[in-house]
């Protein structure tokens, strides 16, 4: 540690962040002059790996991008290539895809709520310490997560990196008899999820507000997961109403740029910061939550989603996620109840020279894929824009605002340890999936 005029702190070993990143803060005269989320992991080159592959391969390859959200990558890749080939998948196959996607939502959101985020609100260092004092809650969360994993295992062939997904549908579809035991498990998980909403609603939420734009898929009549078009809710006080655009115009609105301190690209929505994920989905689609989830949201203090009430407090994202788990479980049960096996597990998707794109709602937010195919179906170009890359600029602004607010409230120097804890919480509010490798955060504070 250096002298008081210029001081640098290196803090490591933060668990509960998926991947490796660092935060750099520059402070001068009591003001935050720079807040940077530094993602220093080496690029993984998945887009380059896809070039030269057959048009049937991206679902399996892109699933390896994430061990927690592989279905999101598979579903988006499938839809983008099917769009390029002029094929639309509907009926029972589309329903099974949505059921598989809900399985991922259930397991991923429950993981973040119980093991990654809740310790922040209860003064625990990690999930192990949380389990010592709140064993029942942790066990309840694990039961919900296991129910989501069971959906993925039954439909996808295994709970991580499913192998039963293919272009046009599945290699094998399930029977009604196979789904029956799953329904019993999901009903028990729904009871656990409702209890989780009540549990989380009792947390102490610091005051904070995101003042940028929200971006999420919008599919009137449905809480969008795997369908719909991108829609934008303006920042508070914005002059424009909610606006939308076709998914094939995504890259005209969401533009990626390289920043010198990060190996991950950052995105700007029409030149400004934006946030995608649970808060954005709830703001744009809350009126179409399942009635059970909507009632849970009202009881938890989130307001009336049917009236279009919006939650902009990043700390309350854990509460919105808990409501989304209830919705996913109810919708999964509805699909199982009405399921009739399709005559074939997939539709044919003959290759053609073309290009196609698609977007779906991964648990962490809007995920976009675009592929160009040659005459024989070979992938000639691939573009993948994940939600965490889109949220980076918003996370940095959130860091700056929260640290600035903390400094303004204190008449004495605020220690690096407290600033580090504040920054860690601010980052975890957004559930970033930095990568699927080691868990580590370094914080550097420079005081001038």
């Amino acid at each position: 540690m250096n002298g008081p005029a210029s001081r640098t702190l290196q803090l490591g070993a933060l668990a509960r962040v998926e991947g490796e990143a660092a935060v750099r803060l520059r402070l001068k005269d009591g003001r935050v002059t720079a807040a940077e989320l530094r993602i220093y992991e080496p690029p993984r080159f998945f887009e380059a790996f896809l070039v030269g592959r057959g048009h049937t391969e991206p679902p399996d390859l892109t699933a390896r991008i994430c061990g927690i959200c592989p279905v999101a990558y598979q579903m988006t890749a499938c839809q983008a290539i099917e769009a390029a080939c002029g094929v639309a998948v509907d009926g029972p196959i589309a329903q099974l895809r949505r059921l598989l996607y809900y399985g991922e939502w259930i397991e991923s959101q429950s993981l973040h709520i119980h093991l990654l985020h809740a310790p922040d609100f209860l003064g625990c260092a990690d999930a192990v310490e949380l389990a010592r004092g709140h064993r029942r809650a942790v066990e309840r969360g694990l039961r919900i997560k296991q129910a989501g994993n069971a959906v993925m295992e039954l439909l996808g062939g295994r709970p991580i990196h499913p192998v039963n997904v293919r272009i046009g549908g599945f290699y094998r579809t399930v029977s009604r008899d196979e789904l029956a035991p799953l329904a019993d498990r999901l009903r028990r998980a729904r009871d656990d999820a409702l209890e989780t909403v009540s549990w989380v609603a009792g947390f102490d939420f610091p005051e904070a507000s995101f003042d940028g734009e929200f971006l999420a898929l919008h599919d009137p009549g449905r809480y969008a997961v795997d369908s719909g078009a991108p829609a934008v809710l303006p920042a508070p006080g914005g002059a424009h109403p909610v606006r939308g655009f076709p998914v094939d115009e995504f890259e005209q609105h969401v533009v990626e740029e390289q920043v010198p301190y990060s190996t991950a690209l950052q995105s700007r929505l029409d030149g400004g910061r934006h946030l995608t994920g649970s808060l954005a989905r709830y703001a744009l689609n809350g009126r179409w939550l399942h009635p059970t989830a909507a009632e849970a949201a009202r009881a938890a203090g989130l307001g009336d989603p049917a009236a279009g009430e919006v939650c902009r407090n990043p700390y309350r994202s854990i509460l919105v996620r808990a409501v989304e788990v209830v919705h996913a479980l109810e919708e999964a049960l509805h699909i199982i109840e009405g399921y009739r096996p399709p005559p074939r597990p997939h539709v044919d998707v003959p290759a053609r020279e073309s290009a196609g794109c698609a977007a779906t709602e991964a648990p962490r937010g809007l995920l976009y894929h675009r592929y160009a195919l040659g005459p024989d179906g070979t992938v000639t170009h691939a573009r993948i824009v994940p939600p965490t890359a889109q949220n980076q600029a918003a996370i940095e602004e959130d860091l700056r605002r929260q640290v600035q607010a903390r400094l303004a409230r204190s008449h004495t120097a605020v220690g690096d340890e407290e600033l580090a804890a504040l920054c860690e919480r601010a980052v975890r509010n957004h559930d970033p999936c930095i990568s699927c490798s080691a868990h580590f955060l370094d914080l550097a504070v420079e005081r001038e």
Side-chain angles (χ1 to χ4, degrees):
M1 188 174 294
N2 302 324
S6 176
R7 189 165 58 156
T8 299
L9 170 69
Q10 298 292 341
L11 174 69
L14 170 69
R16 300 185 280 124
V17 172
E18 294 158 15
E20 294 185 348
V23 171
R24 174 178 173 270
L25 292 178
R26 180 182 291 274
L27 311 178
K28 183 176 182 180
D29 299 330
R31 304 286 301 175
V32 182
T33 58
E36 298 172 350
L37 179 62
R38 297 184 161 196
I39 296 177
Y40 51 79
E41 293 188 40
R44 299 171 70 188
F45 302 116
F46 267 91
E47 290 159 319
F49 292 157
L50 290 162
V51 174
R53 296 283 189 169
H55 77 300
T56 60
E57 295 185 88
D60 285 331
L61 292 172
T62 58
R64 270 64 182 178
I65 292 176
C66 184
I68 298 174
C69 306
V71 173
Y73 285 92
Q74 289 185 316
M75 293 298 117
T76 315
C78 284
Q79 291 190 26
I81 291 172
E82 288 157 5
C85 297
V87 174
V89 175
D90 55 13
I93 296 175
Q95 291 290 311
L96 281 182
R97 281 181 165 180
R98 189 168 298 128
L99 178 58
L100 179 61
Y101 215 139
Y102 281 133
E104 181 167 278
W105 268 36
I106 294 164
E107 68 85 15
S108 177
Q109 302 282 48
S110 298
L111 168 70
H112 185 259
I113 291 168
H114 293 89
L115 302 184
L116 306 182
H117 207 186
D120 281 343
F121 295 92
L122 299 171
C124 300
D126 50 35
V128 175
E129 185 178 334
L130 180 70
R132 293 194 188 104
H134 304 270
R135 183 184 181 90
R136 185 169 177 271
V138 172
E139 290 180 342
R140 183 180 62 227
L142 292 177
R143 286 196 300 271
I144 302 170
K145 185 180 186 309
Q146 288 166 350
N149 283 348
V151 175
M152 295 175 66
E153 186 165 12
L154 178 62
L155 271 63
R158 60 188 189 189
I160 299 173
H161 299 151
V163 293
N164 191 34
V165 174
R166 56 166 292 171
I167 298 295
F170 297 87
Y171 289 101
R172 186 186 83 86
T173 50
V174 294
S175 67
R176 284 179 58 84
D177 288 344
E178 289 177 284
L179 286 177
L182 189 61
D184 292 338
R185 191 166 189 172
L186 293 176
R187 290 189 192 96
R188 293 192 294 272
R190 177 185 55 193
D191 296 338
D192 283 331
L194 286 167
E195 194 172 337
T196 296
V197 175
S198 299
W199 178 60
V200 172
F203 290 175
D204 182 19
F205 297 104
E207 290 297 326
S209 181
F210 172 70
D211 66 350
E213 295 186 321
F214 282 139
L215 174 66
L217 290 184
H218 188 60
D219 190 8
R222 174 182 294 171
Y223 198 87
V225 176
D226 59 346
S227 60
V232 180
L233 181 71
H240 303 289
V242 174
R243 67 184 191 278
F245 52 85
V247 69
D248 59 7
E249 294 180 6
F250 181 86
E251 293 176 53
Q252 299 173 29
H253 293 272
V254 179
V255 178
E256 293 183 304
E257 61 183 13
Q258 183 75 62
V259 292
Y261 51 82
S262 176
T263 54
L265 298 173
Q266 291 196 5
S267 301
R268 297 277 177 178
L269 173 63
D270 296 324
R273 288 177 287 105
H274 69 287
L275 195 66
T276 184
S278 292
L279 292 182
R281 284 194 294 261
Y282 186 82
L284 284 155
N285 301 303
R287 71 190 62 182
W288 294 298
L289 279 169
H290 188 278
T292 305
E295 178 55 35
R298 285 189 288 268
L302 284 172
D304 186 1
E309 292 198 38
V310 175
C311 174
R312 286 189 169 272
N313 186 338
Y315 288 97
R316 289 183 180 269
S317 65
I318 188 173
L319 189 51
V320 176
R321 288 190 179 91
V323 170
E324 285 192 325
V325 173
V326 175
H327 173 81
L329 285 161
E330 289 285 12
E331 289 295 306
L333 286 166
H334 178 71
I335 292 172
I336 292 174
E337 182 180 353
Y339 174 67
R340 298 291 182 274
R344 296 180 63 206
H346 64 270
V347 298
D348 295 329
V349 185
R352 67 179 186 183
E353 185 175 12
S354 185
C357 59
T360 70
E361 284 288 342
R364 291 170 181 83
L366 194 150
L367 170 64
Y368 170 82
H369 285 214
R370 179 168 62 85
Y371 299 96
L373 307 178
D376 62 349
T378 300
V379 176
T380 58
H381 180 81
R383 184 74 173 273
I384 298 172
V385 182
T388 294
Q390 297 181 62
N391 287 341
Q392 279 186 70
I395 293 173
E396 290 180 341
E397 175 61 14
D398 200 23
L399 287 166
R400 188 195 67 77
R401 289 166 63 96
Q402 294 204 38
V403 172
Q404 188 63 65
R406 178 65 191 89
L407 295 175
R409 291 196 302 269
S410 178
H411 299 293
T412 59
V414 181
D416 290 340
E417 185 175 353
E418 182 181 347
L419 290 181
L422 177 63
C423 291
E424 291 166 6
R425 290 193 69 178
V427 172
R428 277 195 287 268
N429 283 338
H430 300 284
D431 189 17
C433 188
I434 296 168
S435 78
C436 303
S437 59
H439 301 168
F440 218 83
L441 175 72
D442 286 337
L443 172 68
V445 181
E446 296 181 9
R447 289 182 168 86
E448 299 180 66

